[in-house]
Amino acid sequence: MMRDPDRLIGDFWRKAAGLRAILHVLASICIVATGNSLLTTTVSLHLSDPAIDPHVVQLLLTAFPIGFLGGCLSARFLVVRFGHERAFQIVSLLAAFGAGGYMVTESAPVWFCLRLINGFSIAALFVVSESWINLYADQKNRGTYFSLYMLMTSLATLFAQLLIEAAGPKSPHLFQLVLAVILFGLVYARFVGGPWPTLRLPLAVTVDASNVHSGSRFGIWRLAALAPVTVVCVFQSGMTNMNVYTMTPIYAERVNLDAAVAVTLVTAFSLGGMLAQAPIGWLSDRMDRRVLLLLQGLAAAGLCAAIAWPGMRPQALLYGLFFVYGSVALTIYPVAIAYANAQLDSRHMVSASGSLLLLYSIGNIMTPGLAAQLMEQFAPQALFLLLGGGAFLVAAAACFNLVRRPIGAAKPCLVSGGCE
């Protein structure tokens, strides 16, 4: 049966209006995230100085994940106390303060505290942004909006690298550049972009303040009971992102590839993920997300097996495999988050965002050591066998969710606005 053309046009303009309403929010996120990414890279460049004691470097590196953990756990309180928009501005100001501190002194204890602030601000920025987008979106466009958000964070990483290339990795003004970018994002968010659109439900309803101080959280175990596929996907995404970006240069060196080739492989991986965000988000709003995650898990596992397959292959083919792998692996996270938030009551979304981001950071921190050990004991290709195993677990978890809750079956509806 054909739909009324006037109704189709009306639906299109309503969706376009909703998207236009959050463009300045996405722009604010992109600018501040660019500054945070630029700061992380700048600190890493300074810590690569061989004159710095390796034990000091290791101590400073541990500060970031500690701060990140604190940001995951604290962002909910900031949202309840100040609301999403003001919490975003406070976190941005805190990030600017931390960036300015690096220009004052090179004292290791002070840098440890600044790294704590850096990790805290990035985690809180992500939790505030993700929870607001999930609350603003509805069931029909959550995947699209979240993929646009992921596109902004991908662009932020790309812009940060371009700024470092333009200024020069050894420039003495990198910290000033970081501070300028973050302050620009803060000024844009506060004075240029305008107020954030009103949520469908008031904050007092979406975040139950009476439960915040009682310790009530929608933690990882409750998420695992509700949407096990999301828990597996988020951990696997943290594992994949960290290992591809940090271990690919080591993999390339051990399979006799040039350093320039390793850089191109990582770039191809990133570009694939960035370009696939919007199409996958659009697709996830139009089919069962569990089926999509099943297909993504199987595809990612197959691509990892193809990359790890022994033997020589043309570099162009390897670039193509990394590009397609990035387009699959880097889009699992937004689809999984959209699926989980489609199952949640609105008041749990902020807490759930913090718990999922915490799980993502655990995947970031725990698995590179395991990957390095497997590569040392067996072969460099063990890196992608490990990542392929994680992708296969995504497919298995999606199957479990489908069997437990078949397509079209009634589900225990925790969602105030409807069920998927």
Side-chain angles (χ1 to χ4, degrees):
M1 183 174 63
M2 296 184 61
R3 297 181 62 184
D4 184 2
D6 292 337
R7 184 177 178 182
L8 287 173
I9 294 173
D11 289 343
F12 170 80
W13 284 114
R14 278 192 294 272
K15 292 177 181 178
L19 180 59
R20 286 198 306 272
I22 68 167
L23 285 179
H24 68 279
V25 177
L26 295 174
S28 300
I29 293 169
C30 184
I31 297 170
V32 177
T34 298
N36 271 317
S37 181
L38 183 59
L39 177 59
T40 300
T41 304
T42 301
V43 171
S44 298
L45 289 171
H46 278 71
L47 293 180
S48 65
D49 187 345
I52 302 177
D53 187 342
H55 293 94
V56 173
V57 173
Q58 185 175 5
L59 179 65
L60 293 176
L61 289 177
T62 60
F64 182 89
I66 295 173
F68 196 97
L69 175 63
C72 293
L73 298 175
S74 304
R76 180 171 66 133
F77 297 92
L78 290 174
V79 171
V80 172
R81 184 81 170 88
F82 302 105
H84 286 88
E85 184 177 4
R86 290 181 62 193
F88 179 87
Q89 295 167 4
I90 291 170
V91 170
S92 300
L93 185 61
L94 182 63
F97 171 79
Y102 290 100
M103 297 185 291
V104 176
T105 179
E106 294 186 359
S107 168
V110 175
W111 273 44
F112 182 88
C113 296
L114 294 175
R115 289 284 289 168
L116 288 174
I117 293 174
N118 189 196
F120 181 95
S121 60
I122 289 180
L125 174 75
F126 289 160
V127 173
V128 171
S129 302
E130 291 179 15
S131 62
W132 184 86
I133 289 172
N134 277 312
L135 288 168
Y136 178 78
D138 58 34
Q139 304 289 31
K140 296 180 180 179
N141 57 26
R142 179 169 285 118
T144 300
Y145 284 0
F146 202 85
S147 292
L148 288 173
Y149 160 74
M150 293 296 295
L151 177 61
M152 292 300 105
T153 60
S154 299
L155 286 173
T157 303
L158 177 61
F159 291 157
Q161 304 312 308
L162 293 176
L163 286 172
I164 287 182
E165 288 291 335
K170 298 184 182 300
S171 171
H173 305 296
L174 286 179
F175 284 121
Q176 288 90 331
L177 181 60
V178 170
L179 181 59
V181 172
I182 296 177
L183 287 177
F184 174 66
L186 181 59
V187 170
Y188 179 87
R190 180 66 179 86
F191 300 106
V192 180
W196 290 19
T198 304
L199 296 174
R200 292 180 292 114
L201 293 174
L203 185 62
V205 176
T206 57
V207 183
D208 187 357
S210 64
N211 288 333
V212 170
H213 300 290
S214 66
S216 174
R217 288 185 56 84
F218 206 93
I220 294 173
W221 293 114
R222 293 179 69 187
L223 285 165
L226 176 66
V229 66
T230 295
V231 171
V232 174
C233 287
V234 170
F235 181 84
Q236 185 269 345
S237 296
M239 175 179 72
T240 299
N241 289 8
M242 179 58 70
N243 280 290
V244 170
Y245 287 118
T246 60
M247 304 303 293
T248 295
I250 300 175
Y251 162 81
E253 187 271 333
R254 294 187 181 181
V255 295
N256 301 317
L257 295 174
D258 294 336
V261 174
V263 173
T264 307
L265 290 175
V266 174
T267 303
F269 177 82
S270 301
L271 286 175
M274 187 173 65
L275 295 176
Q277 292 295 341
I280 292 296
W282 179 87
L283 186 62
S284 74
D285 289 332
R286 286 158 178 80
M287 65 179 292
D288 191 289
R289 293 186 180 110
R290 295 163 297 171
V291 176
L292 181 56
L293 288 170
L294 170 61
L295 297 175
Q296 288 176 292
L298 292 175
L303 288 163
C304 285
I307 294 171
W309 193 266
M312 298 297 295
R313 58 174 62 84
Q315 287 184 4
L317 175 59
L318 197 57
Y319 295 152
L321 287 173
F322 268 77
F323 179 86
V324 179
Y325 178 49
S327 68
V328 176
L330 293 178
T331 53
I332 287 176
Y333 180 83
V335 176
I337 295 292
Y339 173 73
N341 280 284
Q343 318 303 310
L344 289 171
D345 189 282
S346 297
R347 71 178 184 273
H348 294 309
M349 286 185 177
V350 178
S351 177
S353 292
S355 297
L356 289 171
L357 198 60
L358 173 61
L359 183 63
Y360 181 90
S361 68
I362 292 172
N364 266 261
I365 296 167
M366 288 180 57
T367 55
L370 174 61
Q373 185 176 1
L374 291 174
M375 292 171 70
E376 185 68 30
Q377 289 186 354
F378 298 101
Q381 290 80 2
L383 168 64
F384 290 96
L385 295 179
L386 173 66
L387 298 179
F392 184 78
L393 287 178
V394 168
C399 281
F400 177 78
N401 257 129
L402 283 166
V403 170
R404 189 182 68 167
R405 199 174 295 156
I407 298 175
K411 70 172 187 175
C413 191
L414 298 180
V415 187
S416 56
C419 297
E420 197 179 49

